[in-house]
Every structure is written in C-alpha cells, then in structure tokens.
Amino acid sequence: MSSRLPHPSDRVILVCGPAGSGKSTVARACRDAGYEVLSFDEEAWSRGHTSHPVPEEVAQAIHRDLQRRLLSLVAAGESVAVDTSFWSRRSRDDYRECLRPAGIVPVVYYLDTPRSIILERLSRRRGDGPHDVVVPPDRAASYLDGFEVPTPAEGPLRVVDHA
C-alpha cells in the first residue's frame, strides 16, 4: 500500500474490494493514521456470524448499525474508514446517501488486487477471526464474478494497487 494512504483530506473512506483483496490491511493503516474504523466483518463476527455469506436480514441490520455509528462519529468530528466489500454500486450509493445530509462526500478506496492473488489468499484462510473468514473456492469465484468495480463517475475514487 502506498505510504500516501490514507490521504489526510479524506474524511470518510469506503474501503472497497472483494474478500481477500486486502481491505483489512488498508483499514488497519487508516486506524494507525487516527481514523475510526467500522468493520462489517468484525461486527458480524461479534454477533456470532463466522461464515459467508451472512444472512441478508443480518447484513441489513449490520449496515444500519454501521451507518448510525458512522453518522455519530462524523457529527463528533471524527475521520472514519468503513471496511466492507462495497461489492455493488448500490451498496456504495447507500453510504453516500446516508452521508449526504451531513454534507460529506466519501472517498472510495478500491483495492485493485489481481484475482489470482485474492484466490491464493483466500485458500490460506482458516477461520481464526473476523478477517480470516473461510470463503470456499466456488463462493470466492462467485464474489469475484459479481463484483461491480467502482468508477470515477460514482464520485471520488482512489485506486489502490494492493498486490
């Protein structure tokens, strides 16, 4: 990861990429730089959901809670990184819409990690924690095939080469 990340002017960062792309590493760098980090996987794990996919109703509840916490942190003047896949434009737009009344435009950090590296990383997972959730090969391929890569047309975007 570039030493320029996180960029100091990025108040809210949406850390975006498929499972195994390196989102947790980028989120950790954000935390080290003073950002509050909201992690979907940590929240799911704390609720007892230790495998993928999390049931849809649980995922929706987690996102509602993350968005509520995000708005509270932003109102308190904090810089925040949200660590979840943001696999679809709709998921990214939901967070943009959540932040709009606060006058904040988030920056998407898209982890552009080669498929082969992602699959290799996922094959090493053992389920030891929220950032090590086992993703079977067929599920991993499905996640990669269904991933909607963000574009600058959506809003601010930083592409992170995370090989």
Side-chain angles (χ1 to χ4, degrees), residues 26-129:
V26 170
R28 211 170 9 262
C30 290
R31 182 174 280 128
D32 291 348
Y35 283 70
E36 292 293 327
V37 174
L38 300 176
S39 167
F40 181 92
D41 288 340
E42 288 175 9
E43 188 62 29
W45 191 271
S46 74
R47 295 179 187 202
H49 298 278
T50 59
S51 63
H52 280 267
V54 172
E56 184 58 31
E57 64 277 1
V58 173
Q60 289 176 6
I62 291 171
H63 282 296
R64 281 192 304 272
D65 289 348
L66 292 179
Q67 288 178 1
R68 179 186 47 75
R69 289 168 46 203
L70 173 61
L71 288 175
S72 177
L73 289 165
V74 166
E78 299 290 338
S79 294
V80 183
V82 182
D83 173 10
T84 187
S85 69
F86 290 110
W87 72 271
S88 68
R89 180 172 182 163
R90 179 178 176 206
S91 66
R92 298 183 292 271
D93 284 346
D94 286 347
Y95 277 77
R96 288 184 186 103
E97 208 43 51
C98 166
L99 289 162
R100 190 177 320 280
I104 294 184
V105 177
V107 179
V108 171
Y109 281 28
Y110 168 60
L111 279 69
D112 187 15
T113 307
R115 182 183 187 101
S116 60
I117 291 174
I118 289 172
L119 293 173
E120 192 275 326
R121 287 177 181 166
L122 292 176
S123 74
R124 293 192 319 245
R125 288 189 174 184
R126 298 295 172 248
D128 294 331

Side-chain angles (χ1 to χ4, degrees), residues 11-28:
R11 176 111 186 265
V12 175
I13 297 168
L14 306 181
V15 185
C16 170
S21 62
K23 294 183 304 299
S24 298
T25 301
V26 170
R28 211 170 9 262

